[in-house]
């Protein structure tokens, strides 16, 4: 007992600077540990190029070095204690907490411009006024921007006072009650008599938080991700879920920029959907492994129940290169084929990319895509590639009449077994074969689409015209590895559609597969 009491006395008499430094160092080490674990998680799954946390990690490492230097400084000096309490660690922790409550993480600390960004060679005197917004976290595959602020209510009240905002109805009546509106709202006015929401120049708003929100809104309207403007979420962990009337004015100003808000340490939505109570608070954080999994971008989140497959994917599904992790190399192979063999040895296209995207969905393709694929297979496909092509469409011309009658209604399980017999990879039983071939008359499709579709159609070949316009008109996802064509479609719609047209939903496969015979023929 004496020994324990002695330790307590020693703890109480330790300089405040030492206690604060040790606490911050412990928090910083924990934060860095979680980030390093997440980096390992990404590396193990080969996702480190998709989710970039390096810059954020480096910021934490720099903060750790600063804290270590301060821990060696005079702990009794007021300057040391002030610097410790001004550490950026609190902000970095809030950013990471907000990130862990998100999905589809892309990166941290990224600038988005609404004008051409200045080049390195630009003279400082000639550079325009800052025309960009700094986003703390980019999530949902780029479709959400998160801004984190550790500002307190006290700080916001100080900024209001400094800006000259005043409570227009702050006088009390003889009974001592306030003269607020009947609905409890508090009227705030600027020195010139205007309200904060009618301030003539939002970018010059004296309240920093409102300036940031306005900049984010401007940058979002100048940015399109798959034809959509990113949504903005502002996280305010130090603002209570029941803010003061003065703070409420600022929160309403943030909401007016179309941002969604989260307040308090539990990151509760604001305004709350239900009256706040401990039972409404966000539950305790799950294990890191669960958090890390949800942070990974979900490549299939936008895929529709029915998928439109283009010719590049049809070829990838039947190519010999896609069905074996160890295709023998040959001097006659084109260098592109050699590269695809190397890619398949490392990343298995079907089980790791295509099957997860296609399974549990109805599969269709246009007549033009199917015809072109069958022409290529008939000309240069190997016997196994020809066999797979027949299975995909349940089109075996060599079957007997009796067999055709018996299988008038094709059995998906039979087709899957046949397809698996020509592959070294397992075929998921949730893959829905056969692929249905759809007629897609261009004139009919154009009648169902915005006028800009005609501009798009003029730039595409007949096959790509049928594929991309069909998926667009039917509102279904088109799966393709033709990145160049997809880029032409998106850029044309963005440039000529007035920024209001939602184009086709295109899911791009990271890599393509050719038929070996095609390239071998070229070499010959």
């Amino acid at each position: 007992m004496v020994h324990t009491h002695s330790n307590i006395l020693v703890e109480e008499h330790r300089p405040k600077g030492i206690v604060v430094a040790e606490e911050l160092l412990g928090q910083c080490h924990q934060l860095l540990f979680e980030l390093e674990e997440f980096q390992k998680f990404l590396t193990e799954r080969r996702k480190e190029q998709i989710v970039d946390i390096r810059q954020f990690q480096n910021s934490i490492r720099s903060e750790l070095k600063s804290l270590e230097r301060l821990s060696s400084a005079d702990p009794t000096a007021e300057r040391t204690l002030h610097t410790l309490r001004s550490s950026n660690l609190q902000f970095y922790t809030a950013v990471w907490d907000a990130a862990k409550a998100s999905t589809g993480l892309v990166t941290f600390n990224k600038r988005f411009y609404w004008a051409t960004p200045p080049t390195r060679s630009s003279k400082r005197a000639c550079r325009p006024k800052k025309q960009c917004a700094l986003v703390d976290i980019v999530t949902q595959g780029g479709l959400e921007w998160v801004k984190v602020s550790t500002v307190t209510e006290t700080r916001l009240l100080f900024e209001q006072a400094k800006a000259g905002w005043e409570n227009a109805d702050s006088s009390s009546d003889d009974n001592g009650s306030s003269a607020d509106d009947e609905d409890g709202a508090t009227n705030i006015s600027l020195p010139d008599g205007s309200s904060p929401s009618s301030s003539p120049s939002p970018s010059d708003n004296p309240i920093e938080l409102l300036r940031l929100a306005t900049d984010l809104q401007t940058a979002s309207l100048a940015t399109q991700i798959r034809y959509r403007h990113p949504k903005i979420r502002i996280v305010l962990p130090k603002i209570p879920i029941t803010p003061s009337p003065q703070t409420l004015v600022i929160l309403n100003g943030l909401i007016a920029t179309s941002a969604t808000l989260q307040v308090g340490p539990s990151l509760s939505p604001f305004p709350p959907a239900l009256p706040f109570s401990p039972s409404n608070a966000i539950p305790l954080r799950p294990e890191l492994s669960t958090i890390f999994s949800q942070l990974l971008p979900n490549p299939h989140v936008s895929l529709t129940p029915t998928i439109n497959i283009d010719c590049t994917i049809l070829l990838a599904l039947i190519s010999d290169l896609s069905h074996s992790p160890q295709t023998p190399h040959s001097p006659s192979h084109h260098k592109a084929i050699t590269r695809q063999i190397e890619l398949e040895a490392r990343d298995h296209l079907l089980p790791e990319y295509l099957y997860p995207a296609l399974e549990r969905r109805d599969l269709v393709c246009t007549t033009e895509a199917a015809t072109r694929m069958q022409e290529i297979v008939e000309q240069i496909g190997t016997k196994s590639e020809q066999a797979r092509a027949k299975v995909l469409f349940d089109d075996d011309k060599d079957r007997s009449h009796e067999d055709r009658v018996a299988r008038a209604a094709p059995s998906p399980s039979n087709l899957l077994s046949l397809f698996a017999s020509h592959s070294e990879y397992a075929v998921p039983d949730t893959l829905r074969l056969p692929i249905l071939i759809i007629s897609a008359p261009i004139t009919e499709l154009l009648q169902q689409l915005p006028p800009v579709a005609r501009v798009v159609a003029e730039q595409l070949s007949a096959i790509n015209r049928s594929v991309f316009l069909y998926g667009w008109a039917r509102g279904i996802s088109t799966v393709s590895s033709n990145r160049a064509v997809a880029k032409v479609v998106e850029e044309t719609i963005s440039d000529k559609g007035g920024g209001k047209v939602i184009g086709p939903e295109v899911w791009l496969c990271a890599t393509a597969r050719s038929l070996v015979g095609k390239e071998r023929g070229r070499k010959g």
Side-chain angles (χ1 to χ4, degrees):
M1 292 290 295
V2 176
H3 181 68
T4 304
H5 180 66
S6 171
N7 285 343
I8 294 175
L9 290 177
V10 170
E11 182 68 26
E12 289 178 348
H13 287 86
R14 294 176 71 199
K16 188 68 173 177
I18 293 180
V19 176
V20 173
E22 289 181 352
E23 181 179 346
L24 291 175
L25 281 171
Q27 294 172 0
C28 196
H29 279 295
Q30 176 62 27
L31 176 56
L32 197 55
F33 166 77
E34 290 188 12
L35 288 169
E36 289 172 346
E37 288 297 300
F38 184 46
Q39 186 65 59
K40 292 178 184 176
F41 180 87
L42 294 174
T43 302
E44 289 171 357
R45 290 156 180 78
R46 299 195 297 273
K47 302 293 185 182
E48 64 272 19
Q49 300 300 321
I50 298 176
V51 182
D52 185 6
I53 68 170
R54 291 170 297 178
Q55 184 178 0
F56 188 59
Q57 269 186 303
N58 290 336
S59 297
I60 310 303
R61 293 190 182 104
S62 296
E63 190 66 21
L64 178 61
K65 291 179 181 178
S66 297
L67 291 173
E68 288 173 341
R69 285 194 298 268
L70 285 170
S71 66
S72 302
D74 181 3
T76 62
E78 187 66 28
R79 181 176 180 180
T80 300
L81 189 58
H82 174 75
T83 306
L84 285 169
R85 286 173 171 165
S86 302
S87 166
N88 289 323
L89 181 62
Q90 192 176 74
F91 169 72
Y92 292 141
T93 301
V95 169
W96 180 232
D97 285 343
K100 289 190 291 184
S102 306
T103 58
L105 178 64
V106 177
T107 190
F108 294 91
N109 199 41
K110 184 174 178 61
R111 292 188 184 276
F112 290 89
Y113 291 81
W114 58 82
T116 304
T119 61
R120 291 178 179 270
S121 60
S122 301
K123 294 183 179 180
R124 186 174 298 274
C126 298
R127 291 182 183 178
K129 184 179 179 180
K130 185 199 76 168
Q131 294 182 318
C132 68
L134 179 62
V135 176
D136 294 321
I137 320 168
V138 180
T139 63
Q140 293 184 16
L143 288 173
E144 182 185 58
W145 295 350
V146 183
K147 189 68 181 177
V148 179
S149 174
T150 53
V151 68
T152 62
E153 273 201 299
T154 301
R155 176 64 189 179
L156 289 179
L157 290 172
F158 173 79
E159 288 189 20
Q160 286 177 319
K162 184 178 179 181
W165 290 21
E166 60 182 19
N167 186 342
D169 297 320
S170 60
S171 59
S172 300
D173 59 22
D174 293 339
N175 295 324
S177 61
S178 63
D180 290 344
D181 293 342
E182 291 183 3
D183 61 0
T186 300
N187 296 321
I188 305 295
S189 64
L190 297 175
D192 61 2
S194 62
S195 67
S197 60
S198 62
S199 184
S201 179
S203 61
D204 295 328
N205 198 302
I207 307 300
E208 182 182 10
L209 201 54
L210 292 175
R211 287 202 308 273
L212 292 174
T214 301
D215 287 347
L216 286 167
Q217 182 188 39
T218 305
S220 172
L221 292 175
T223 305
Q224 283 193 332
I225 307 295
R226 299 190 295 278
Y227 312 105
R228 295 167 177 84
H229 298 295
K231 296 180 180 179
I232 299 166
R233 174 161 55 102
I234 299 177
V235 177
L236 306 168
K238 292 199 170 184
I239 300 299
I241 196 163
T242 53
S244 67
Q246 292 86 352
T247 302
L248 184 59
V249 172
I250 294 177
L251 298 185
N252 286 335
L254 297 176
I255 293 172
T257 66
S258 300
T260 58
L261 305 186
Q262 288 180 305
V263 297
S266 62
L267 304 186
S268 302
F270 185 90
L274 298 170
F276 177 73
S277 70
S279 62
N280 293 336
I282 290 180
L284 294 176
R285 297 284 185 257
E287 295 296 326
L288 281 180
S289 58
T290 303
I291 293 173
F292 292 168
S293 295
Q294 77 178 20
L295 284 178
L296 285 179
N298 181 355
H300 310 133
V301 67
S302 63
L303 287 173
T304 52
T306 299
I307 285 181
N308 174 39
I309 302 177
D310 87 336
C311 189
T312 64
I313 299 301
L314 293 175
L315 290 172
L317 285 170
I318 66 169
S319 171
D320 286 341
L321 300 180
S322 303
H323 288 270
S324 172
Q326 297 178 333
T327 300
H329 287 277
S330 169
S332 65
H333 285 162
H334 188 279
K335 62 181 180 180
I337 290 295
T338 300
R339 176 58 178 160
Q340 289 179 23
I341 292 173
E342 294 170 350
L343 287 174
E344 184 64 32
R346 187 186 68 189
D347 299 321
H348 309 327
L349 178 63
L350 294 181
E352 294 180 15
Y353 296 96
L354 281 184
Y355 286 159
L358 302 181
E359 63 179 342
R360 297 184 177 87
R361 294 177 169 89
D362 294 329
L363 309 179
V364 301
C365 72
T366 65
T367 302
E368 290 82 356
T371 299
R372 180 56 182 153
M373 185 272 272
Q374 290 167 334
E375 288 174 351
I376 294 173
V377 173
E378 288 175 4
Q379 293 173 9
I380 57 171
T382 63
K383 290 183 178 179
S384 55
E385 289 169 341
Q386 292 174 359
R388 294 187 198 105
K390 293 176 181 178
V391 174
L392 280 187
F393 301 115
D394 189 40
D395 180 28
D396 191 347
K397 298 176 182 178
D398 298 327
R399 287 181 298 171
S400 66
H401 174 72
E402 292 76 10
D403 188 32
R404 289 176 182 277
V405 172
R407 292 184 56 197
S411 167
S413 59
N414 286 344
L415 292 177
L416 292 176
S417 297
L418 283 171
F419 200 66
S421 69
H422 297 286
S423 180
E424 294 183 28
Y425 298 126
V427 178
D429 57 11
T430 51
L431 185 66
R432 297 175 184 173
L433 295 181
I435 297 174
L436 183 62
I437 301 175
I438 301 292
S439 175
I442 298 301
T443 53
E444 293 182 12
L445 296 178
L446 289 174
Q447 291 173 1
Q448 303 169 40
L449 293 169
V452 71
R454 296 185 180 276
V455 182
V456 173
E458 291 172 356
Q459 302 183 58
L460 304 180
S461 66
I463 297 174
N464 291 325
R465 195 180 302 136
S466 74
V467 169
F468 286 88
L469 294 187
Y470 174 75
W472 189 5
R474 294 293 179 267
I476 62 177
S477 301
T478 295
V479 177
S480 171
S481 62
N482 199 332
R483 192 172 299 273
V485 172
K487 184 177 180 181
V488 167
V489 172
E490 183 171 352
E491 289 182 347
T492 302
I493 294 173
S494 298
D495 293 342
K496 307 296 184 181
K500 298 180 180 180
V501 176
I502 302 297
E505 183 68 42
V506 180
W507 189 86
L508 284 172
C509 185
T511 183
R513 292 291 182 268
S514 305
L515 301 189
V516 178
K518 179 178 181 180
E519 301 297 342
R520 184 181 294 128
R522 288 178 181 175
K523 292 292 287 187

